[in-house]
DNA sequence: CTCCCGATAT
DNA sequence: ATATCAGGAG
């Protein structure tokens, strides 16, 4: 066998070992997050429609504030028809504290109008249908699928998951879709939904954006960034 | 890539 | 002062 071919084979072997080590480390991270955080959504909701609306409202806003707004909102708007027929001027004021209120009003009214027109007022339980709806991107679709329907079509990749995945070295990608693909390869499908929820908990309370609390972090030993961060 | 919104933590 | 907060559309 030629030296060149031999070197190539050795390189492949090393590559396999490396990816196996990466997979093992990922599973260890999954396990530790499982012990450290509840797989819990902090947005309040009682059905898929409420979760979809709450998730749209949650963009660039704390869930605490979203919950304050939806506590009142969900009593008035109980069906997709209720939202679809709402006066935009009035609705805008009702959700104003969540910020981006003009865009969110447009999104929610267009979303619910599309629900009435295309889906008999019901939130669809398939990714393909959800992302066709105005105001619903893949992130919101994954939230609704995973936590309202118990589906396992993907992993929620929001601002927290992007940051934590990068810091933990679980993905070197910058686009959310590609990060999601990397995570789906590393995490068992049964864990997809809960893993996303725990990554968000971790990002909110420990691996925070500004000043991460590496002391007491459940995955500190497994984190390549632990030293360079606070 | 920018824009949308304003409160809050650092 | 300014980066950030469960994003999506143009």
């Amino acid at each position: 066998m030629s030296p060149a071919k031999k070197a190539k084979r050795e390189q492949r072997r090393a590559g396999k070992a490396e990816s196996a080590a990466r997979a093992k480390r990922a599973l260890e991270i999954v396990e530790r997050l499982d012990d450290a955080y509840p797989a819990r959504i902090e947005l309040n909701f009682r059905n898929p429609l409420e979760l979809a609306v709450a998730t749209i409202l949650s963009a660039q806003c704390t869930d605490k504030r979203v919950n304050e707004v939806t506590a009142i909102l969900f009593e008035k708007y109980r069906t997709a028809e209720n939202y679809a027929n709402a006066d935009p001027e009035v609705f805008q004021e009702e959700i104003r504290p969540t910020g981006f209120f003009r865009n969110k009003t447009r999104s929610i009214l267009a979303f619910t109008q599309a629900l009435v027109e295309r889906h008999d007022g019901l939130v669809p339980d398939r990714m393909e249908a959800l992302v066709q709806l105005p105001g619903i991107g893949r992130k919101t679709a994954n939230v609704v699928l995973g936590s309202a329907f118990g589906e396992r079509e993907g992993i929620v990749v929001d601002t927290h998951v992007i940051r934590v995945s990068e810091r933990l070295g679980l993905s070197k990608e910058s686009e959310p879709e590609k990060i999601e693909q990397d995570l789906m390869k590393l995490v068992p499908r049964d864990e997809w939904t809960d893993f996303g929820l725990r990554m968000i908990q971790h990002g909110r309370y420990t691996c925070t954006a500004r000043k991460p609390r590496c002391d007491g972090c459940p995955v500190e030993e497994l984190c390549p960034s632990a030293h360079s961060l606070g």
Side-chain angles (χ1 to χ4, degrees):
Chain A
M1 183 180 306
S2 74
K5 193 165 183 179
K6 199 169 181 180
K8 203 161 196 176
R9 177 192 287 183
E10 170 59 21
Q11 197 173 56
R12 245 192 4 201
R13 191 205 59 78
K16 273 191 179 177
E18 192 181 313
S19 74
R22 193 163 58 242
K24 187 179 177 185
R25 193 176 66 90
L27 289 179
E28 179 69 20
I29 290 171
V30 171
E31 197 173 309
R32 292 207 192 184
L33 294 181
D34 183 85
D35 291 335
Y37 305 100
R40 186 165 160 270
I41 291 201
E42 304 200 19
L43 294 172
N44 295 335
F45 69 99
R46 292 168 293 189
N47 54 56
L49 178 62
E50 289 189 352
L51 180 56
V53 171
T55 305
I56 292 172
L57 291 177
S58 72
Q60 293 296 97
C61 179
T62 61
D63 51 2
K64 180 175 178 293
R65 192 173 300 280
V66 172
N67 287 335
E68 290 169 4
V69 167
T70 57
I72 300 167
L73 197 73
F74 291 165
E75 292 311 309
K76 177 171 178 182
Y77 302 93
R78 295 176 170 280
T79 68
E81 287 82 356
N82 293 155
Y83 289 102
N85 296 326
D87 178 350
E89 304 282 333
V90 174
F91 192 81
Q92 180 173 299
E93 294 311 311
E94 292 170 330
I95 67 163
R96 176 181 280 271
T98 67
F100 292 172
F101 50 88
R102 293 185 184 85
N103 284 345
K104 288 175 181 176
T105 294
R106 274 194 289 274
S107 288
I108 291 170
L109 297 193
F111 163 57
T112 50
Q113 283 160 13
L115 281 185
V116 172
E117 292 168 9
R118 303 179 208 169
H119 300 284
D120 201 25
L122 300 175
V123 179
D125 63 355
R126 309 305 316 195
M127 174 65 75
E128 311 83 84
L130 280 167
V131 296
Q132 288 301 107
L133 295 163
I136 307 295
R138 190 173 174 91
K139 182 261 171 178
T140 301
N142 267 330
V143 170
V144 172
L145 286 170
S147 294
F149 289 118
E151 297 288 340
R152 298 169 300 181
E153 295 198 36
I155 296 176
V156 173
V157 177
D158 72 335
T159 178
H160 296 299
V161 178
I162 292 170
R163 180 180 66 251
V164 173
S165 296
E166 150 83 27
R167 287 178 177 172
L168 279 174
L170 295 177
S171 176
K172 293 175 181 174
E173 301 290 346
S174 56
E175 295 174 37
E177 290 239 11
K178 292 187 175 179
I179 294 173
E180 184 182 355
Q181 286 171 18
D182 285 343
L183 296 178
M184 289 191 290
K185 289 178 204 162
L186 294 170
V187 178
R189 186 161 190 153
D190 285 348
E191 309 283 341
W192 283 0
T193 299
D194 288 354
F195 176 72
L197 294 174
R198 291 187 166 110
M199 286 281 277
I200 291 164
Q201 294 271 319
H202 182 57
R204 284 200 60 187
Y205 299 113
T206 305
C207 197
T208 53
R210 285 280 193 93
K211 189 172 173 251
R213 313 182 70 201
C214 294
D215 52 324
C217 170
V219 292
E220 183 180 8
E221 297 89 343
L222 303 167
C223 182
S225 314
H227 288 294
S228 53
L229 302 174

